[in-house]
Amino acid sequence: MIMSDKLYVIPQTAEGFNVAKAIQKAYPNTWIEELKETNKTASLMANAWEKEQQIVFIGSMGICVRSIAPLLKDKKTDPAVICIDSTGKYVIPVVSGHIGGANQWAGMIARAIGATAVITTQSDNTGLWALDTLGRENGWETETAGGTMNELIACFVNKKRTALLIEAQDAGTRRLLDRVPPHVQRVYDIEEVKETEYDLLIAVTPFIHAYRVPTLIYRPRVLSLGVGCRKACKTEGIADYMAEELMKAGFSTKSIHTIATVDIKKDEPLLLELKERYGIPSVAIYTGEELKSIEVPNPSAKVEEVTGSSGVSEASAMLSAGTDHLLLSKQKGKLSEGNDFTFAVAIEANAEVHRGHVEFVGAGPGDPGLISIRGRRFLEEADLILYAGSLVPVELTQCAKAGATVRSSADMNLEEQIELMKSFTDRHLSVVRLHTGDPCIYGAIGEQMAELDRLNIHYHITPGISSFQAAAAALKSEFTIPEKVQTIILTRGEGRTPMPEKEKLHKLAASQSTMCIYLSVGLADQIQEELLIHYPPATPVALCYKLTWREEKIYRTTLEHLAETVRANNLKLTTMIVVGEAVGNRKGLSRLYADEFKHGCRK
């Protein structure tokens, strides 16, 4: 079953009908059945069941259960059924809690109508992963080894010793790592999983292993299969042959996301055969010119003469995966005369798992409570935290694990910072480079990333809340005004670092947008002079010192008094200047809540 946004509601009483209307108000894609004869409940249930609709019954649990009892078949195919008492106090998932989405819908409906959701599923109540739906939710194929799905789930929910092996990363694995249960230990190699130490292994992997403990295997779609072949190559037996060879090499066909080749091969029957046999969702076709630029480990002059590329299978696999290396280099096959074919495998670049890793984390404006959940997790797991000196409160690093190294970069140049990070990644350890606000705004990460690229060190960025957002919150301001100001400019004054001519302040000021000026309080006189060319002297200004820190101070003034206010309060670094009519505005109201913008409900 796949959870949809449609609800079929059967109320038993007038009181229940009012509850149904409240649900419909929150979820407009709701059909309410006006039940005039209660003896028709079973037939209405059966009709909705046949159409695989999500059923919300409002009335007695006994009537609900008796009505659906003859319809029950299998938890994998039965639709979600939820029962709500007629007063709307309790919302109870009855059937298909996980797979059909009844648990999730029960929580959503309860929140919408101010009720209590009564969830009896153990994994939901203990905050554990829902292993039976994890694959479907993340687009992973699911396999088991050494036990049935129910046996493995029972082992997990009973909090037996569990290892987590992630050998390919995607959005799903990042969500897993955001909430790892205490009884789960992450491992980085299958050899670490010993039967004396673990009772269960959860593996997210495209690779085939011999498992020594009961294992739940998820197959993410992260592999690119590059294919080349003779013209009109006969397909008989090739799919089976490739599958066997891939298995011998340690790759699951269930993890192939894309089949890739050159354009002159796009109509070959072999491509369609492989796509259908392996259930491959995507096909990538490249020109010979595109593939020509890819350097392959096993070039062929003959292939280059025909296709323009010196290696179709290898080049197309790498180009499709966005990587410069292969997991499986070119394999040649020929099951009958004149029907030669080749294949190669690459893993998508963003799916590769690197034990040595640098995570740039946006610390937010200063308050430790404003860092993201993911950023906090990286800090807690890091072997090295390198934080941006006086710009980042040291309190943000106090969640470091025992034994972690925590260093300020205030007295380090770029070369020293990179050398320190490399000393950790070379030992397969994790590094957090902690920047104030969001790293992409005056974060000086460009030159760091260039060096990491040069050294082939893997990195990723976790965004943070910028100080301009903290300023809007502190000023209780919306930085846009309908029909007056619809643009926010993030910029700085021209100090030692020259500004491009087209971005000089007096030119940006011509729009009279809301302007947030970073790193420039020491240039207050210059800024005031340039902005007054276009902004009226009475334009509101806010000087925001150390936003969200304990020392936070905000000074409100007007543009004509900007420099004077800076001097009077001895404002220096870590002060943002906000200029514009939107600062503190309450007159320009949005039309968002006008009647014509409201969502209509339907029966």
Side-chain angles (χ1 to χ4, degrees), residues 477-554:
S477 295
E478 182 178 353
F479 281 173
T480 56
I481 304 174
E483 301 178 21
K484 286 191 176 183
V485 178
Q486 291 294 287
T487 301
I488 302 169
I489 296 175
L490 310 180
T491 189
R492 63 172 181 80
E494 185 171 32
R496 286 179 297 177
T497 304
M499 290 290 285
E501 182 62 33
K502 63 185 177 181
E503 294 182 22
K504 289 185 182 292
L505 275 183
H506 68 273
K507 292 188 176 181
L508 296 178
S511 67
Q512 293 190 23
S513 304
T514 302
M515 192 175 292
C516 301
I517 307 172
Y518 290 73
L519 309 171
S520 305
V521 72
L523 306 170
D525 290 290
Q526 174 189 325
I527 288 169
Q528 178 176 311
E529 181 182 348
E530 287 200 62
L531 295 183
L532 280 171
I533 296 173
H534 292 289
Y535 286 96
T539 301
V541 168
L543 302 168
C544 307
Y545 173 74
K546 287 200 170 182
L547 284 158
T548 78
W549 293 48
R550 292 193 189 96
E551 304 97 318
E552 175 185 281
K553 291 181 182 178
I554 295 178

Side-chain angles (χ1 to χ4, degrees), residues 3-206:
M3 182 174 164
S4 74
D5 64 345
K6 297 179 181 178
L7 296 174
Y8 182 78
V9 183
I10 305 173
Q12 283 278 286
T13 63
E15 218 175 6
F17 187 81
N18 292 333
V19 175
K21 294 298 287 184
I23 296 171
Q24 190 182 60
K25 191 171 182 179
Y27 299 101
N29 205 357
T30 293
W31 174 265
I32 301 174
E33 185 64 53
E34 292 191 56
L35 185 62
K36 296 177 181 176
E37 299 178 56
T38 56
N39 60 0
K40 287 189 175 180
T41 299
S43 61
L44 290 171
M45 288 278 207
N47 181 55
W49 194 282
E50 186 178 342
K51 294 178 181 178
E52 296 187 345
Q53 294 177 314
Q54 290 167 139
I55 303 168
V56 179
F57 179 81
I58 305 177
S60 160
M61 175 68 83
I63 296 174
C64 177
V65 171
R66 284 192 293 273
S67 298
I68 65 172
L71 308 172
L72 293 169
K73 293 179 182 176
D74 190 297
K75 71 174 185 178
K76 295 180 181 178
T77 57
D78 292 339
V81 178
I82 295 164
C83 182
I84 305 175
D85 68 288
S86 294
T87 65
K89 288 181 67 176
Y90 300 104
V91 184
I92 308 168
V94 181
V95 172
S96 294
H98 277 317
I99 296 175
N103 288 356
Q104 186 174 346
W105 266 116
M108 292 162 60
I109 291 171
R111 288 188 290 273
I113 65 175
T116 299
V118 182
I119 310 294
T120 58
T121 309
Q122 184 174 354
S123 59
D124 281 0
N125 289 332
T126 55
L128 299 178
W129 301 323
L131 299 183
D132 50 352
T133 60
L134 204 56
R136 173 173 59 83
E137 290 167 358
N138 293 296
W140 304 332
E141 295 288 329
T142 305
E143 300 174 12
T144 61
T148 66
M149 174 66 85
N150 286 342
E151 288 170 341
L152 301 181
I153 291 174
C155 185
F156 179 69
V157 298
N158 286 321
K159 300 183 180 179
K160 300 293 186 181
R161 300 170 302 173
T162 301
L164 173 64
L165 175 67
I166 295 177
E167 294 186 305
Q169 60 187 8
D170 61 9
T173 60
R174 285 189 285 274
R175 284 191 291 271
L176 280 186
L177 292 174
D178 281 341
R179 51 186 187 95
V180 179
H183 69 288
V184 176
Q185 175 70 45
R186 186 175 181 185
V187 296
Y188 290 88
D189 192 300
I190 190 66
E191 295 303 318
E192 296 179 49
V193 186
K194 297 179 172 60
E195 50 195 334
T196 55
E197 297 179 13
Y198 297 102
D199 304 299
L200 173 68
L201 169 64
I202 298 171
V204 183
T205 178

Side-chain angles (χ1 to χ4, degrees), residues 281-458:
S282 176
V283 174
I285 305 296
Y286 300 105
T287 65
E289 193 64 28
E290 289 175 305
L291 296 179
K292 186 177 181 180
S293 63
I294 307 298
E295 186 177 339
V296 298
N298 298 289
S300 166
K302 185 175 181 180
V303 171
E304 185 171 11
E305 182 182 337
V306 175
T307 67
S309 168
S310 59
V312 168
S313 60
E314 292 184 329
S316 59
M318 288 192 287
L319 186 56
S320 171
T323 186
D324 61 359
H325 59 276
L326 295 163
L327 291 181
L328 181 67
S329 59
K330 180 169 66 177
Q331 305 294 302
K332 297 180 180 180
K334 184 168 78 170
L335 302 187
S336 58
E337 194 60 40
N339 294 296
D340 306 65
F341 58 91
T342 63
F343 59 98
V345 176
I347 186 169
E348 293 175 4
N350 59 5
E352 291 189 85
V353 175
H354 303 263
R355 290 187 67 176
H357 172 80
V358 175
E359 188 74 18
F360 290 95
V361 173
D367 182 346
L370 290 178
I371 194 169
S372 69
I373 293 172
R374 180 168 294 163
R376 173 85 178 196
R377 177 176 61 78
F378 278 118
L379 286 172
E380 292 171 343
E381 295 178 354
D383 298 297
L384 166 67
I385 298 174
L386 185 60
Y387 70 102
S390 60
L391 298 176
V392 174
V394 70
E395 288 86 354
L396 275 159
T397 69
Q398 290 175 355
C399 62
K401 68 183 181 182
T405 300
V406 179
R407 286 279 307 274
S408 167
S409 62
D411 61 347
M412 302 170 68
N413 60 31
L414 176 62
E415 182 180 332
E416 290 169 331
Q417 293 172 32
I418 296 298
E419 185 179 347
L420 178 60
M421 289 190 277
K422 185 175 185 299
S423 71
F424 277 77
T425 59
D426 282 350
R427 290 178 285 148
H428 304 298
L429 300 175
S430 62
V431 175
V432 165
R433 181 67 174 109
L434 190 61
H435 279 267
T436 183
D438 183 274
C440 77
I441 303 175
Y442 303 114
I445 63 171
E447 52 265 50
Q448 295 177 70
M449 292 189 293
E451 284 299 298
L452 296 177
D453 286 337
R454 183 180 66 81
L455 296 168
N456 198 30
I457 296 174
H458 187 262

